[in-house]
Amino acid sequence: MAAAPCLTLQERLMIQNMLENGSSIKDIADGLGRNTATIYRELDRCPKGKYCAKQSNFNARRRKSSSPLQVIRDDIAEIKTMLEKLIRER
């Protein structure tokens, strides 16, 4: 079985939003189509009760990349894609 791709910034923002709205880990996992273990691992990397999607995304990218500047470029590209999608939907 192939490993699932890493969580995206958009998925992390959904996790943050769902946590703020009181959703359970199972509901979050089901909403994202992810395994509950993925959500637990994501939350375990953060201080208890202090999940921040943007910081988590930055940390994940930094762990995967050797260049901090590339991390920022990737985040900008992902945010740009998300904004373009929102504009098209309006």
Side-chain angles (χ1 to χ4, degrees):
M1 182 199 248
C6 297
L7 291 169
T8 64
L9 176 57
Q10 186 171 5
E11 287 175 310
R12 288 184 171 98
L13 289 168
M14 289 176 66
I15 291 170
Q16 182 176 330
N17 186 39
M18 292 177 84
L19 285 171
E20 289 170 356
N21 290 322
S23 297
S24 70
I25 301 298
K26 183 176 180 347
D27 289 341
I28 294 170
D30 290 345
L32 294 175
R34 297 287 190 148
N35 190 293
T36 55
T38 301
I39 307 305
Y40 277 113
R41 274 194 306 274
E42 178 71 9
L43 297 176
D44 283 345
R45 291 184 179 116
C46 302
K48 298 295 178 211
K50 304 248 184 192
Y51 185 76
C52 176
K54 292 176 185 174
Q55 185 64 47
S56 293
N57 196 64
F58 180 80
N59 291 342
R61 295 222 184 252
R62 189 175 52 192
R63 283 190 305 270
K64 299 281 183 194
S65 176
S66 60
S67 167
L69 187 54
Q70 187 60 45
V71 171
I72 294 168
R73 287 185 189 129
D74 290 345
D75 284 347
I76 290 170
E78 190 170 352
I79 291 168
K80 181 181 174 190
T81 301
M82 288 171 47
L83 289 174
E84 289 170 346
K85 181 180 176 189
L86 286 171
I87 291 169
R88 280 194 306 270
E89 291 174 356
R90 288 190 173 233

